[in-house]
Amino acid sequence: MKEAHAEVCGRRESGEGIFVLALRTELAREIAAGQFVNVKVAEVEPFLRRPFSVAWCEGDVMELLIQERGRGTKILGQTAPGAALSLLGPLGTPFDLEALAKAPGVDLLAGGVGSAPLILLAAQLRARAPTLPVRLFLGARTRALLPEPDVAAARVPEIKLATDDGTAGGRGTVLDLYAAHIRPERVLCACGPTGMLEAVRKLAAERTLRCFLSLEVEMACGFGVCQGCVVRLANGAYAKVCEDGPVFDAAALAPLRPLTG
């Protein structure tokens, strides 16, 4: 982990209240899929950095897929090209590329902006194992909340879409869509809201699927000091999502529940 300078080199709309922020930074060459960076938003108090999964890396440019959820993300969405940002990274434990590359195939299951680490994972798997079959299942409540389905399709050619209201792809949840196309010999990797990930964890246990989850939780420090992002494990112990995760073997996790204060 280190602090690095980043220059905003682009911004584009990606959906309703969703945008992509492109950053030029040396960290782009060091990120493994599933890791994240902590971004300093100097105008916001308290002075806690915001964690974001990295959605794409090419050369010295990385892309962050961001959904506006508060003052900090709104300010980032208004950041002009040329602006300087401070990043901490790479943070977190990534997907095990070496193990996944040896699988018969990999299925990626994404809810909304949970697609970020999975699209990068697909790219890094393709670089390591060009013939490995990879499928992306991408879902959201409605078409406007599907982050850049055309860009996702260009980066992961085998893609299937689902929306709760049927405005894009199949009608229903992305888990419903995946359940109709399960190939039990493949490894499943998922990222999205906690409720969705708990449903994936249960399905993986019921169908004895090899499954890895990239958890989405609120983080304060981002590197294990504050211990504010703990998750319970199946053996009764606790793990820190920012340091021991965010990627976990689904079989190692206890039922997932949003933390309440």
Side-chain angles (χ1 to χ4, degrees):
M1 178 193 71
K2 62 184 176 183
E3 184 172 13
H5 168 85
E7 177 188 350
V8 177
C9 57
R11 181 195 181 281
R12 64 180 186 271
E13 296 295 327
S14 180
E16 187 176 300
I18 303 170
F19 61 94
V20 170
L21 200 64
L23 306 175
R24 182 168 287 107
T25 172
E26 62 182 293
L27 290 184
R29 301 182 183 275
E30 303 176 28
I31 295 289
Q35 290 184 305
F36 63 97
V37 294
N38 263 8
V39 182
K40 186 175 183 181
V41 186
E43 298 91 338
V44 177
E45 295 182 358
F47 299 104
L48 296 175
R49 294 173 181 261
R50 269 55 176 180
F52 299 104
S53 295
V54 178
W56 192 252
C57 292
E58 191 166 351
D60 62 353
V61 174
M62 72 165 57
E63 291 182 355
L64 306 180
L65 180 62
I66 301 174
Q67 187 167 29
E68 286 191 14
R69 291 175 174 164
R71 188 178 172 213
T73 48
K74 184 175 182 178
I75 289 173
L76 286 175
Q78 298 169 345
T79 304
L85 293 175
S86 169
L87 308 180
L88 282 182
L91 297 172
T93 299
F95 289 98
D96 187 338
L97 286 176
E98 184 176 352
L100 291 174
K102 296 175 182 176
V106 176
D107 286 336
L108 311 175
L109 183 61
V113 293
S115 61
L118 301 180
I119 290 176
L120 181 58
L121 175 59
Q124 293 187 346
L125 283 173
R126 185 168 60 248
R128 183 174 292 244
T131 62
L132 179 70
V134 177
R135 301 185 298 179
L136 172 64
F137 297 82
L138 174 60
R141 293 196 308 275
T142 187
R143 181 182 182 87
L145 296 176
L146 278 176
E148 295 190 308
D150 293 341
V151 173
R155 292 174 173 175
V156 192
E158 191 170 354
I159 182 173
K160 298 181 184 297
L161 305 177
T163 48
D164 292 358
D165 61 5
T167 50
R171 179 185 292 272
T173 70
V174 69
L175 188 56
D176 294 335
L177 177 66
Y178 170 73
H181 295 84
I182 287 178
R183 294 184 184 173
E185 74 279 5
R186 294 190 174 199
V187 179
L188 174 61
C189 299
C191 184
T194 299
M196 184 199 99
L197 293 185
E198 170 56 14
V200 173
R201 188 198 65 79
K202 289 174 65 176
L203 177 67
E206 292 167 0
R207 301 291 293 269
T208 61
L209 304 174
R210 186 73 167 133
C211 178
F212 295 92
L213 304 180
S214 180
L215 304 187
E216 291 186 347
V217 301
E218 291 188 3
M219 301 179 190
C221 71
F223 47 87
V225 173
C226 72
Q227 301 187 50
C229 62
V230 295
V231 62
R232 191 172 183 179
L233 302 179
N235 63 8
Y238 287 87
K240 293 174 282 188
V241 173
C242 68
E243 187 175 42
D244 303 311
V247 178
F248 290 91
D249 187 326
L253 293 169
L256 296 168
R257 297 182 179 88
L259 294 177
T260 57

